[in-house]
Amino acid sequence: MAAGTGTDGRRFDSGRVCLDLVATGAGESGACERLGSPERLAEWLITSRLVPHGTSLAAVDGTWVVRFRRLRTDVDRLMAAQLGGGRAEYALERVNARAACAPPGLRAVRGKDGPLVRALSAAPACGELLAAVARDAVDLLTDPEAREGLRRCEGDACRRLYLDTSRGRRRRWCSSEVCGNRERVARHRRRVKAVQ
């Protein structure tokens, strides 16, 4: 499973790399832009596990940032349409076009201590990495079980998307430690205030 980082630096488990990409945006919460520079994008590519640690990302530049932000907007629109019963046809066209490209080639190589580790067959191209994220979005939206678990965080200041894979599908927050804790603290304060 992929993991993203919230605005406070804490990690949360969105369940999909395409949802992690959506979480990098400023969005309605007023959070900071996480893909504000080529360096930040390169960092995200590694932390999202789209590329293995140690992969050279020297080619990442401002055009990559623009292209990833554009895909992020399209994926966000598709997920919002899925949750709200809309269609987002233009976003669907663009995501499908990205998904049609080949993702980066993978291979297994021996790590320093001997176990096999994942490596890319060649230096990654922007279109290949975009294809990997777009394919993840297509997989999510065309898998009835996964699609059924798509949720938006119920936290007051959070609109993050995640997959609810909890046993009873009753997960309410992107992160129990962040948004869930904020909600519990707010509920406690309301009860204390009501008693006083």
Side-chain angles (χ1 to χ4, degrees), residues 6-142:
T7 57
D8 57 3
R10 291 189 177 179
R11 296 184 63 76
F12 69 97
D13 184 6
S14 73
R16 297 302 278 257
V17 72
C18 63
L19 301 180
D20 286 345
L21 178 62
V22 172
T24 64
E28 298 171 16
S29 67
C32 67
E33 170 63 58
R34 297 204 21 93
L35 301 182
S37 69
E39 296 78 22
R40 298 294 299 267
L41 174 57
E43 177 185 320
W44 182 80
L45 291 171
I46 292 168
T47 60
S48 68
R49 293 182 267 169
L50 273 174
V51 300
H53 283 280
T55 301
S56 174
L57 294 171
V60 176
D61 62 13
T63 61
W64 285 46
V65 173
V66 170
R67 292 174 72 187
F68 268 88
R69 284 179 172 181
R70 200 172 293 143
L71 178 60
R72 177 181 68 194
T73 299
D74 290 335
V75 171
D76 190 27
R77 286 181 179 152
L78 277 176
M79 298 303 162
Q82 177 61 41
L83 289 170
R87 297 184 57 91
E89 294 299 328
Y90 183 66
L92 180 61
E93 276 181 42
R94 290 171 53 121
V95 168
N96 281 334
R98 291 282 182 223
C101 299
L106 296 176
R107 60 192 180 115
V109 298
R110 292 276 172 211
K112 291 180 183 179
D113 298 331
L116 293 174
V117 295
R118 185 173 65 113
L120 298 181
S121 300
C126 185
E128 294 174 338
L129 296 175
L130 290 166
V133 177
R135 284 176 179 218
D136 185 57
V138 169
D139 285 345
L140 169 58
L141 292 169
T142 59

